Amino acid sequence: MHFISQELEDYIEQHSEKEPLLLAALNKETYQKILLPRMLSGHFQGRVLSMLAKLIRPMHILEIGTYTGYSALCLCEGMQENGTLHTIDIKEELVDFQRKHFDKSPWGAQIFQYLGEAVDIIPTLDQKFDLVFIDADKENYLNYFELIVPRMNKGGIILSDNVLWSGKVLEPLNPKDFSTKVLVEYNQLLANDPRVETVLLPIRDGLTVSRVL
């Protein structure tokens, strides 16, 4: 996942906005108690998500892949005053952990959690979105995109995480590696789909910003 040196990553983090105390506590507790803590967005990417959300000023946000709630709280920082964030995850054991930290934030009552498969839940959401963050199972990225586009307001932004996949998108494809296969197809789709305009940013493991036309 490291495309630049650890020293440069540290320098970037040191010269970006400081991590809020609430998120620092969530970061620490995730590493202490939860499996695979590297799935957390973390300080630098979290500040990127926060900055993008503040520029977009979304009323309604959809997040696919909650994990422990770090990225959701970053996105809420840019949400309009009466906005909502809807976040979906399949891990039942994380629901109470997420809610505990959501309720410590100013946006607890505006964050709605959904437990289950996102491909089943998204069609039930009677809502248009201004900002979507996709950070879940890579095998379904193409499906998520097709489900999301009709539910986006014009000019809305779709953020897609892990699109460089530790550099595997450049390597000869292993036929058994379905995640990489889907991500290669997904990146090609975003680059060519007339419904969106896209820029792929080399942030951590790759973050695509797609604007719905």
Side-chain angles (χ1 to χ4, degrees):
M1 189 181 295
H2 291 277
F3 297 108
I4 61 175
S5 70
Q6 187 62 54
E7 290 78 11
L8 271 176
E9 287 193 6
D10 293 342
Y11 183 87
I12 290 166
E13 191 169 293
Q14 292 162 10
H15 291 80
S16 298
E17 190 71 17
K18 303 302 181 188
E19 185 178 41
L21 293 177
L22 173 66
L23 290 175
L26 172 52
N27 193 333
K28 181 178 181 181
E29 189 171 354
T30 297
Y31 271 84
Q32 289 174 335
K33 299 180 179 179
I34 307 298
L35 290 173
L36 303 175
R38 285 184 59 79
M39 290 174 58
L40 193 83
S41 291
H43 176 188
F44 173 59
Q45 187 175 15
R47 290 305 86 204
V48 172
L49 295 176
S50 171
M51 183 67 76
L52 289 171
K54 288 169 182 173
L55 292 169
I56 297 163
R57 296 293 294 149
M59 175 60 75
H60 300 295
I61 304 170
L62 172 63
E63 178 182 55
I64 305 172
T66 316
Y67 190 48
T68 56
Y70 190 101
S71 53
L73 292 173
C74 292
L75 295 170
C76 281
E77 292 178 27
M79 186 169 62
Q80 293 186 36
E81 184 177 353
N82 297 316
T84 61
L85 182 141
H86 303 259
T87 185
I88 305 169
D89 205 282
I90 61 170
K91 295 187 181 298
E92 185 175 2
E93 66 272 18
L94 293 178
V95 171
D96 292 340
F97 185 98
Q98 298 158 4
R99 177 49 59 184
K100 178 180 72 172
H101 290 280
F102 290 160
D103 287 344
K104 290 179 181 179
S105 79
W107 311 286
Q110 296 163 263
I111 300 175
F112 299 90
Q113 296 163 280
Y114 302 83
L115 179 64
E117 297 287 347
V119 291
D120 298 324
I121 293 170
I122 293 170
T124 71
L125 300 177
D126 185 20
Q127 183 68 67
K128 286 276 194 175
F129 295 101
D130 307 296
L131 175 60
V132 174
F133 181 44
I134 305 174
D135 186 17
D137 56 312
K138 313 312 164 192
E139 294 88 347
N140 271 309
Y141 267 37
L142 291 164
N143 296 326
Y144 295 149
F145 182 78
E146 295 299 340
L147 288 170
I148 287 165
V149 170
R151 291 170 172 79
M152 297 294 296
N153 286 318
K154 186 176 181 179
I157 299 295
I158 301 171
L159 304 174
S160 309
D161 201 17
N162 302 116
V163 291
L164 294 179
W165 209 223
S166 298
K168 291 182 182 179
V169 292
L170 290 178
E171 298 172 359
L173 186 63
N174 181 340
K176 297 180 180 179
D177 187 354
F178 189 60
S179 294
T180 301
K181 179 179 182 295
V182 170
L183 283 172
V184 169
E185 293 177 8
Y186 184 70
N187 291 339
Q188 291 173 341
L189 172 67
L190 293 187
N192 297 300
D193 195 306
R195 295 172 293 178
V196 295
E197 57 181 351
T198 292
V199 61
L200 198 166
L201 305 175
I203 293 171
R204 287 192 79 214
D205 198 23
L207 180 70
T208 299
V209 181
S210 303
R211 177 175 175 268
V212 177
L213 302 175

